[in-house]
Amino acid sequence: MKNLITAIAIFVLSNLSGRLIAQEVNRNFGIGLQKTAINLGLSIKYGVSDRIVLQGIVAPWSASAFGASISLNYYGGKLIYRFPGEERNSAIVLDPYLFIGGGAIVLNSNLIESSINVVKSYMIGGGLEVFLARKIGLSLEVSYGKQDILGFIAVNSTAIGGGVHFYFK
């Protein structure tokens, strides 16, 4: 994961050189990292319009020792409704937003016996994305959600998340 984060940082910084001040904020396509309640994953944002954004998140995680292994992979998405901020001559633009989302956590382990479990989840919330240099989006959000465990146990929670995305022209 560290190598992936390093590669993304090098790519973003190399693309920023000489292009830090763009004519307008680009909200159409971004890649980056997103932190949700239980995971940190790769994220892609696609702007259908200036207000409607689709986001996909994939967060793989695994560990193994002494012949036992466990993997916890999250696959999810969000529908984001933005309230685009005014684009003035400053290098910072603020976009508040609301969202709904859902996904599945796939748990695979052979700690006691080999098993695969799928945990469905959904969330609703709001946040704020700050655009720096009109290309980098830093977001902070609060959500309320539910995770269905084993089909009859549900966990409700409030969570804080955030992300960093590089937007392409």
Side-chain angles (χ1 to χ4, degrees), residues 27-99:
R27 298 177 178 95
N28 294 334
F29 181 71
I31 62 168
L33 299 173
Q34 184 73 33
K35 172 75 173 92
T36 61
I38 61 168
N39 56 28
L40 173 68
L42 299 174
S43 168
I44 295 177
K45 288 185 175 182
Y46 175 72
V48 178
S49 69
D50 278 349
R51 293 189 179 269
I52 306 289
V53 179
L54 303 175
Q55 181 179 18
I57 304 166
V58 176
W61 180 87
S62 65
S64 62
F66 308 110
S69 66
I70 185 169
S71 68
L72 180 74
N73 301 315
Y74 175 78
Y75 308 95
K78 290 183 188 175
L79 174 64
I80 299 169
Y81 186 83
R82 280 194 181 141
F83 302 94
E86 279 190 39
E87 298 179 23
R88 298 181 185 156
N89 291 331
S90 68
I92 297 175
V93 177
L94 304 176
D95 278 4
Y97 62 89
L98 299 173
F99 67 87

Side-chain angles (χ1 to χ4, degrees), residues 3-147:
N3 291 337
L4 180 62
I5 292 171
T6 302
I8 289 172
I10 290 170
F11 177 76
V12 167
L13 291 175
S14 67
N15 276 307
L16 281 177
S17 62
R19 294 193 245 168
L20 283 177
I21 304 297
Q23 294 297 320
E24 60 186 39
V25 174
N26 180 15
R27 298 177 178 95
N28 294 334
F29 181 71
I31 62 168
L33 299 173
Q34 184 73 33
K35 172 75 173 92
T36 61
I38 61 168
N39 56 28
L40 173 68
L42 299 174
S43 168
I44 295 177
K45 288 185 175 182
Y46 175 72
V48 178
S49 69
D50 278 349
R51 293 189 179 269
I52 306 289
V53 179
L54 303 175
Q55 181 179 18
I57 304 166
V58 176
W61 180 87
S62 65
S64 62
F66 308 110
S69 66
I70 185 169
S71 68
L72 180 74
N73 301 315
Y74 175 78
Y75 308 95
K78 290 183 188 175
L79 174 64
I80 299 169
Y81 186 83
R82 280 194 181 141
F83 302 94
E86 279 190 39
E87 298 179 23
R88 298 181 185 156
N89 291 331
S90 68
I92 297 175
V93 177
L94 304 176
D95 278 4
Y97 62 89
L98 299 173
F99 67 87
I100 58 171
I105 301 165
V106 180
L107 174 63
N108 185 359
S109 79
N110 69 352
L111 296 177
I112 298 171
E113 62 181 51
S114 194
S115 66
I116 296 177
N117 294 313
V118 177
V119 177
K120 294 175 267 181
S121 66
Y122 69 84
M123 64 191 116
I124 185 168
L128 179 68
E129 188 162 21
V130 178
F131 288 92
L132 303 174
R134 303 185 183 266
K135 289 249 185 214
I136 298 173
L138 302 174
S139 60
L140 182 64
E141 59 191 35
V142 176
S143 65
Y144 176 78
K146 178 179 176 182
Q147 298 173 359

